Amino acid sequence: CHVLERQMEAPGIKRYALDKLLQHRASSAPLAELRLWISKLRKIHADDPNLQNAGLYFDLLDPNISKSKIASIAKQASALLSKHNEQSFRITAALAHLLNQEPDKALLTLGEISDWHSFRETRPAWLFICAQTLRRNQDTQTAKRLESEIIPEKMDLAERHSLASLFPENFPNSTQ
């Protein structure tokens, strides 16, 4: 990975180096590094909706994000979701609505609860975001049930630290 970090700025292999860094280090990298790598990739491929969405998602994970930035991201995430109806776009838009104090919009964005269980295998952090959406919509029992299925250690480092900071009252206890 150190070789890849040195190659991040090398012409011709920049995209490859950044892609490989994300592939191999995303689970253990701090949020600042992830945001840096995504921003560099977005400069190379500005029109890639998946990179746009990833950039918004990681921006939302910043515990120091401003309310105006959250509102702006909520609009951008909703616009992306209107064109791309995949899980990652739904989660980003839902998190933006949650942080923007719009839990009803977050719930509508996520769709049917029966589809959420796949998040446990995909990304445990996404299941946690779903649980917080239910909590903020007064469905505490279902939220607790979902939270009981979450193993924080299976979350990527940046997501685990950020979500624990954004939702400290409901973040599951670590088993370590």
Side-chain angles (χ1 to χ4, degrees), residues 98-113:
L98 268 184
L99 296 176
N100 203 33
Q101 305 305 316
E102 301 170 317
D104 54 329
K105 289 182 181 179
L107 189 61
L108 287 172
T109 297
L110 287 172
E112 293 296 318
I113 193 169

Side-chain angles (χ1 to χ4, degrees), residues 78-89:
S78 293
L80 275 173
L81 179 60
S82 71
K83 297 175 187 167
H84 308 280
N85 194 21
E86 295 144 38
Q87 286 181 339
S88 62
F89 292 89

Side-chain angles (χ1 to χ4, degrees), residues 65-157:
I65 190 170
S66 70
K67 290 183 182 198
S68 62
K69 179 80 172 169
I70 292 169
S72 172
I73 290 175
K75 289 177 185 170
Q76 293 173 61
S78 293
L80 275 173
L81 179 60
S82 71
K83 297 175 187 167
H84 308 280
N85 194 21
E86 295 144 38
Q87 286 181 339
S88 62
F89 292 89
R90 289 183 168 284
I91 287 293
T92 300
L95 180 58
H97 289 307
L98 268 184
L99 296 176
N100 203 33
Q101 305 305 316
E102 301 170 317
D104 54 329
K105 289 182 181 179
L107 189 61
L108 287 172
T109 297
L110 287 172
E112 293 296 318
I113 193 169
S114 59
D115 297 335
W116 298 1
H117 291 288
S118 65
F119 294 148
R120 181 181 26 229
E121 289 81 33
T122 310
R123 293 191 77 105
W126 292 2
L127 189 62
F128 179 76
I129 293 167
C130 292
Q132 296 319 294
T133 300
L134 288 170
R135 272 189 184 281
R136 302 285 163 89
N137 281 282
Q138 311 309 315
D139 190 350
T140 307
Q141 288 308 107
T142 308
K144 284 181 180 179
R145 188 169 36 86
L146 285 179
E147 289 167 352
S148 73
E149 300 174 16
I150 298 169
I151 301 169
E153 291 78 12
K154 291 197 175 187
M155 286 185 196
D156 288 354
L157 178 73

